[in-house]
Amino acid sequence: MNEQVRTPSDAMSHDQLLDRLAEVTVRVGLGLRQGQEVVITAPLDAVAFVRRITEHAYKAGASLVTTLFSDEEATLMRYRHGHDESFDTAPAWLFDGMAAAFKNGAARLAVVGEDPSLLAKEDPDKVSRANRARSKAYMPALSLIADSVINWTLVGAATPAWARTVFPNDPEDVAVAKLWKAIFAASRADTPDPIAAWEKHNAALHARRDMLNAKNYATLHFTGPGTDLRVGLADGHQWAGGSNKAKNSIIFNANIPTEEVFTTPHKDRVDGYVTSTKPLSYNGTLIQDIQVKFEGGRIVEAKARTGEAVLGKVLDTDEGARRLGEVALVPFSSPISKSGLLFFNTLFDENASSHIALGQAYSKCVRGGGDMSEEELASRGANKSLIHIDWMIGSDKVDVDGITQDGRAEPLMRGGEWVTS
Ligand code: ZN
Ligand code: ZN
């Protein structure tokens, strides 16, 4: 990036930019409808941003905004002092309540800003049990989100612990300011007209999605250093990207930012080996240089330079945890990739790179999938699991071919960039 170029963000105060991001979150992310309730989850350190979001939500006609704040110090106390059975416990009552709110029409907003290495030094077994209990209890609420029954979105907030990880050599206040700047840029909040910028961006993602849907490839073939992977796509798979329509008919952007087009792989048709191109920050553990081998859709070998024990536990969550639930294409020239930053947060890092996800598939990425039974979805190749974990496999050294239904290879990406415009 050229430091000499003045961007609109230089002329705007932090408060103005925060306000714009809050507006983008409510209008573009949630597409909030007049009279809707909003359920927000957020870290304590994001309170100033959450207040801005709350203001914009009420201005947009929200009937009630309810925020559940989380405290990382309290999370650590559980690991320090909690009894063993604590790690198999989750607040099912809370998640059932959230599911009830969604069924009653509430929108869902998650503000993310966790310390990426909060649980790095904790017992992987306890971390895995706690995550498993949580995932299980969260399922009734998560399925309403994953199936886009309601409008929902994720947005980032620069917290001190997260900022220290991204900018370890800066004093905390400088690191937080730098991280906010990166979030504003990635979320297009620093453009002259953020809402118009998002409309243009959504149109570009929709064009890419439509091209891939017209092609209806059988397989994507990734090649690069340490990677030769064939990802078969689900029968009747459908590509998604940019804004989409929830079952409550509201147009929303599930992630702020987003740069990906993505679809459902076939759970039994993934073969070859693949190497991660960025570290994966998973619930407080950094898993780096993942290398896995697939046979018939299933991971049969897995190693990692760091976090291998946690990765192993993740893969053992259930049968579907060893299979893919998503494949996504992101050009290397995406604004987040160009920032050159490693965010240690999947919301941002997955949008810097093509990626795959272990675990649960999105039913909306199968044609007619929203109305299918679990058996029907499985028969098309859609995977099922308690987890959905994205990890990055794209770089400027990775090529992607689309393999047509009659077996011809067509170049899709070269050196990390789209071949077709
Ligand atoms: Zn993705
Ligand atoms: Zn994903």
Side-chain angles (χ1 to χ4, degrees), residues 386-409:
L386 284 175
I387 64 162
H388 177 99
I389 301 171
D390 300 272
W391 52 286
M392 285 52 88
I393 63 164
S395 78
D396 58 346
K397 294 178 187 65
V398 174
D399 293 340
V400 185
D401 281 349
I403 313 292
T404 61
Q405 298 289 345
D406 56 7
R408 281 177 300 110

Side-chain angles (χ1 to χ4, degrees), residues 255 260 262 325-328 346 350 355-358 360 362 388-391:
N255 290 359
E260 59 175 341
F262 59 101
E326 178 192 340
V327 59
T346 301
E350 76 159 340
H355 55 271
I356 49 181
L358 300 171
Q360 181 68 31
Y362 290 110
H388 177 99
I389 301 171
D390 300 272
W391 52 286

Side-chain angles (χ1 to χ4, degrees), residues 227-380:
T227 292
D228 187 345
L229 184 72
R230 286 172 184 272
V231 180
L233 302 180
D235 297 327
H237 70 273
Q238 205 169 359
W239 287 84
S243 61
N244 64 95
K245 199 189 226 180
K247 284 183 183 162
N248 64 10
S249 80
I250 293 175
I251 309 276
F252 70 105
N253 268 92
N255 290 359
I256 302 286
T258 184
E259 302 289 338
E260 59 175 341
V261 286
F262 59 101
T263 193
T264 296
H266 195 294
K267 64 184 173 65
D268 304 323
R269 297 182 196 151
V270 182
D271 287 280
Y273 52 93
V274 62
T275 302
S276 65
T277 51
K278 282 174 180 286
L280 165 64
S281 176
Y282 174 71
N283 284 327
T285 303
L286 210 54
I287 310 176
Q288 299 181 88
D289 299 337
I290 303 170
Q291 284 185 299
V292 302
K293 187 177 164 197
F294 286 89
E295 274 176 18
R298 194 167 184 275
I299 291 179
V300 292
E301 279 172 42
K303 48 186 183 175
R305 186 168 57 81
T306 67
E308 187 172 297
V310 172
L311 177 64
K313 296 276 183 199
V314 165
L315 295 176
D316 288 338
T317 305
D318 53 25
E319 171 55 27
R322 284 183 179 267
R323 296 175 187 271
L324 295 188
E326 178 192 340
V327 59
L329 298 174
V330 178
F332 184 71
S333 60
S334 90
I336 298 169
S337 172
K338 276 199 290 192
S339 78
L341 292 174
L342 181 64
F343 284 84
F344 300 92
N345 182 299
T346 301
L347 173 61
F348 290 83
D349 289 327
E350 76 159 340
N351 283 304
S353 167
S354 292
H355 55 271
I356 49 181
L358 300 171
Q360 181 68 31
Y362 290 110
S363 61
K364 69 167 180 186
C365 289
V366 174
R367 224 171 296 132
D371 301 318
M372 285 181 189
S373 67
E374 278 185 11
E375 292 70 31
E376 281 175 297
L377 280 168
S379 75
R380 305 296 161 96

Side-chain angles (χ1 to χ4, degrees), residues 95-170:
F95 300 134
D96 289 347
M98 285 172 82
F102 301 157
K103 281 182 189 150
N104 282 329
R108 163 87 172 104
L109 168 61
V111 178
V112 303
E114 298 81 24
D115 178 351
S117 44
L118 183 73
L119 301 178
K121 295 192 179 77
E122 307 304 331
D123 176 358
D125 184 55
K126 285 182 177 169
V127 174
S128 142
R129 282 164 57 204
N131 285 333
R132 194 171 196 285
R134 191 186 181 285
S135 299
K136 228 175 154 174
Y138 192 45
M139 210 38 144
L142 181 65
S143 64
L144 297 170
I145 296 168
D147 295 341
S148 294
V149 172
I150 53 154
N151 48 325
W152 59 277
T153 197
L154 304 177
V155 67
T159 60
W162 180 19
R164 281 197 304 268
T165 308
V166 182
F167 301 102
N169 301 320
D170 290 306

